[in-house]
Amino acid sequence: MNLIPYPNGEVKLSPELFVLGKEPSIERPDEPFSFATDQVQGWLTEKCHLVPTLVEPGQPASIRFRKSNRNLPDEGYAIYVSPDGCILEADSATGAFYAFQTFKQLIDPKKGSIPCCEIHDSPSFPWRGLLLDATRTFCPLSEILRLIDLSSSLKLNVLHLHLTDDQGWRIAIEAYPHLTDSRAQFYTKEDIRKVVAYARERNITIIPEIDMPGHFVAALASYPQFSCTGGPFTIPQGEGIFSELLCLGKDEALLFAKQVIGEVCDLFPAKFIHLGGDEIPLIRWKECPDCQSRMRELGMKDEKELLRWFANAMAQVAKKKGKTVIFWNDSIDTQYDPSIVCQVWNPLSSGSNTVGDRPLIMSHYFRTYLNLSHSIIPTREAYHYGLVLNDDPTRKTSMKGSEYLLWTEHIHTRKERDKHLFPRLGAGAEAMWTDPSHLDLKRFCHAFSLCNERLFLSPVARTHPLAANPPRLYCTLRRFLQHQQVRYNSKKSGITKS
Ligand SMILES: [Zn+2]
């Protein structure tokens, strides 16, 4: 069956069809499935141009939701389509939501017909995410909502919003209004509430990222007093790793970090907050009398200890708000607070074997960086990351799942976004949802070419299948050159010494 992501349990297909008819009836769903009323009606109306009606429980209906009472996994579901009608079965609202996502792909929108079938399904990984860099290129609210729709159709459950970086600070903070007063493009708290609510209805958790103490020039351009040198600073354009950091020797700079974390924790209901912690050249701290004095006071021997002290302190600030902190893997070692979640991105930095037993989110540079060209990460590499993850020794212990990332230094329009995302985000969604025993790249590529019409409300612009999987020799060369670039950047930012 042409389903993305492909189901993990039993899939049975019969030759008969069930036809919804011009006015399909939906049995009014009880709690916890009442969300489905609007979403199913909306889909049938908008996508299939039908006129659905709601009927009371017990009356004949084309589509009904049913509680399984079989202790299905939280995100698990079953679908039964027979010539008599369609039953979507789950034990939770989340499971029912995913039953509906699969159901959407089964309907032929032109004929309103559904193949008779039986499907049992639940995901392989609990954390399945997309990172959107809304900083380098500001992403309009409507576009974030569209990406939430696309992600939820692919059964992703995390949207990681990268909100601050050297090139921009995109979220209003009441305690520090100058962060956003010189720039037109940022999210107000009302915008964020809207995004969070929209995502929640689609089973997506928004994880905010406030990158610190590096990737901080935009903040320091507004508040140079929190830097080591005092500035002034100009917000840079384009790609790069910049030396300016938050000064950890100044009490008011630490207060700034704490207050920002406090406000962001209050705004986002997620249990997690991402604090970056990546690509931190230590040169400014080495030269700063305040940072050096802080290190002496705390008996530290080098700046890496200072960084660890800061990370652990900020994890405590978040913990008081009931949140768990996520950091990129650049500097994490076993002395970081064990509650800190590690997002593994850099293949040259501490791997999943040196960061301790902490929870892990996997985002390998050469598998998940969808901003890179299709010749560096062809669809097959994004897809086969599922096999790599399942072979990793941490799979059974600490691995929560994975995220695919879209950094936007060079991606500015909706069309560019889509051409980088697709089909690779679909491949990633299947890598994270579907068990390795069911992964099949050929089937996925075929299914994606057919599903684009059915899966999304409006089909996405996507890279041509051949261009999305260029010849291996060409990819090998491009990947080698890119690897040299990562090596250079990692050395520059102190991740590696050699
Ligand atoms: Zn300093």
Side-chain angles (χ1 to χ4, degrees):
M1 293 180 93
N2 296 309
L3 298 172
I4 295 174
Y6 197 76
N8 278 318
E10 207 177 351
V11 175
K12 285 189 213 160
L13 183 63
S14 314
E16 298 104 316
L17 292 176
F18 175 72
V19 181
L20 283 168
K22 192 73 196 140
E23 294 179 9
S25 49
I26 306 164
E27 184 182 79
R28 189 186 297 283
D30 288 337
E31 282 299 330
F33 307 147
S34 46
F35 79 91
T37 319
D38 290 345
Q39 297 204 16
V40 179
Q41 287 198 96
W43 182 265
L44 294 177
T45 310
E46 271 190 73
K47 183 79 181 177
C48 308
H49 310 291
L50 303 176
V51 189
T53 52
L54 274 183
V55 299
E56 294 309 313
Q59 293 183 355
S62 321
I63 300 169
R64 57 181 86 227
F65 284 83
R66 182 171 81 185
K67 211 155 176 357
S68 88
N69 297 319
R70 287 188 287 126
N71 272 334
L72 292 178
D74 191 41
E75 298 184 292
Y77 68 91
I79 293 177
Y80 306 88
V81 182
S82 72
D84 299 329
C86 314
I87 296 170
L88 283 67
E89 190 183 71
D91 285 335
S92 66
T94 309
F97 179 80
Y98 287 140
F100 176 53
Q101 300 317 307
T102 300
F103 188 69
K104 278 163 39 177
Q105 295 181 60
L106 293 170
I107 306 172
D108 181 332
K110 290 195 181 87
K111 298 177 186 155
S113 63
I114 305 163
C116 291
C117 62
E118 184 176 329
I119 296 170
H120 299 265
D121 195 13
S122 64
S124 188
F125 285 100
W127 188 291
R128 306 176 302 277
L130 164 67
L131 174 147
L132 174 67
D133 172 8
T135 301
R136 273 59 170 262
T137 298
F138 180 76
C139 189
L141 207 58
S142 59
E143 183 61 3
I144 294 185
L145 302 187
R146 187 184 73 98
L147 290 171
I148 289 172
D149 277 327
L150 297 178
S151 299
S152 68
S153 294
L154 292 165
K155 302 192 179 79
L156 303 185
N157 59 5
V158 168
L159 178 63
H160 170 168
L161 278 184
H162 184 76
L163 291 167
T164 68
D165 213 298
D166 296 304
Q167 297 87 344
W169 185 283
R170 305 294 188 184
I171 178 170
I173 300 290
E174 275 161 39
Y176 298 94
H178 298 315
L179 286 168
T180 44
D181 66 2
S182 62
R183 288 167 289 278
Q185 293 184 305
F186 65 92
Y187 305 110
T188 63
K189 294 203 167 174
E190 206 38 54
D191 291 337
I192 296 290
R193 286 188 197 103
K194 196 171 168 188
V195 168
V196 165
Y198 192 84
R200 188 192 282 143
E201 284 174 7
R202 287 153 186 80
N203 199 48
I204 287 188
T205 303
I206 305 285
I207 307 287
E209 180 180 350
I210 308 295
D211 205 340
M212 56 174 71
H215 286 275
F216 221 63
V217 178
L220 298 177
S222 301
Y223 292 94
Q225 64 269 39
F226 302 148
S227 71
C228 290
T229 62
F233 305 104
T234 309
I235 293 178
Q237 302 289 322
E239 217 168 331
I241 295 169
F242 302 91
S243 305
E244 307 308 331
L245 310 179
L246 183 72
C247 176
L248 302 193
K250 296 185 178 75
D251 289 341
E252 63 273 26
L254 294 176
L255 180 67
F256 170 82
K258 287 177 190 171
Q259 286 189 314
V260 168
I261 292 171
E263 277 197 34
V264 173
C265 285
D266 288 342
L267 185 59
F268 291 85
K271 291 182 187 142
F272 298 88
I273 176 171
H274 203 304
L275 294 180
D278 58 315
E279 298 180 322
I280 303 167
L282 298 168
I283 179 79
R284 288 287 180 270
W285 290 352
K286 280 186 207 291
E287 294 166 350
C288 170
D290 294 327
C291 286
Q292 292 302 315
S293 144
R294 175 84 71 199
M295 286 168 57
R296 275 195 302 279
E297 178 194 317
L298 295 168
M300 292 170 179
K301 66 176 191 306
D302 62 21
E303 290 74 20
K304 285 208 164 182
E305 270 193 56
L306 183 66
L307 175 59
R308 187 191 298 123
W309 166 79
F310 174 73
N312 285 338
M314 294 309 112
Q316 289 308 315
V317 172
K319 202 180 267 180
K320 283 194 187 124
K321 291 276 183 185
K323 312 282 177 171
T324 299
V325 162
I326 308 171
F327 281 112
W328 298 105
N329 69 318
D330 299 39
S331 310
I332 292 186
D333 58 29
T334 51
Q335 292 176 62
Y336 275 58
D337 188 293
S339 72
I340 291 172
V341 177
C342 175
Q343 185 160 11
V344 181
W345 76 276
N346 191 319
L348 301 175
S349 180
S350 51
S352 51
N353 51 346
T354 54
V355 297
D357 295 330
R358 68 189 68 256
L360 300 174
I361 299 163
M362 309 300 280
S363 298
H364 192 288
Y365 183 83
F366 283 106
R367 299 280 184 172
T368 67
Y369 274 51
L370 303 186
N371 47 294
L372 295 177
S373 80
H374 289 264
S375 55
I376 297 170
I377 304 183
T379 299
R380 61 176 172 268
E381 294 293 335
Y383 190 76
H384 287 143
Y385 195 38
L387 303 177
V388 174
L389 293 177
N390 277 282
D391 280 345
D392 194 289
T394 63
R395 167 70 176 106
K396 288 196 171 65
T397 51
S398 48
M399 193 188 292
K400 292 168 74 69
S402 177
E403 285 178 17
Y404 285 68
L405 320 182
L406 191 70
W407 302 103
T408 56
E409 286 97 333
H410 307 294
I411 298 172
H412 308 294
T413 65
R414 172 173 168 172
K415 195 169 177 188
E416 286 168 356
R417 230 171 264 133
D418 279 5
K419 287 210 159 193
H420 279 265
L421 287 175
F422 297 104
R424 293 183 294 188
L425 186 63
E430 191 152 306
M432 295 184 278
W433 179 280
T434 307
D435 186 80
S437 59
H438 298 296
L439 290 178
D440 180 343
L441 179 64
K442 223 171 166 178
R443 184 204 56 226
F444 165 78
C445 291
H446 179 66
F448 196 87
S449 65
L450 299 175
C451 280
N452 191 9
E453 284 290 329
R454 294 194 186 186
L455 196 55
F456 310 123
L457 206 50
S458 38
V460 294
R462 66 195 169 96
T463 300
H464 188 274
L466 287 178
N469 269 312
R472 282 176 198 272
L473 187 63
Y474 178 56
C475 294
T476 306
L477 180 65
R478 288 295 312 271
R479 286 161 78 83
F480 171 77
L481 295 173
Q482 191 65 25
H483 198 270
Q484 300 310 309
Q485 182 70 39
V486 178
R487 194 177 287 279
Y488 172 78
N489 283 342
S490 297
K491 190 179 165 192
K492 190 177 167 195
S493 58
I495 295 171
T496 53
K497 286 205 177 75
S498 57

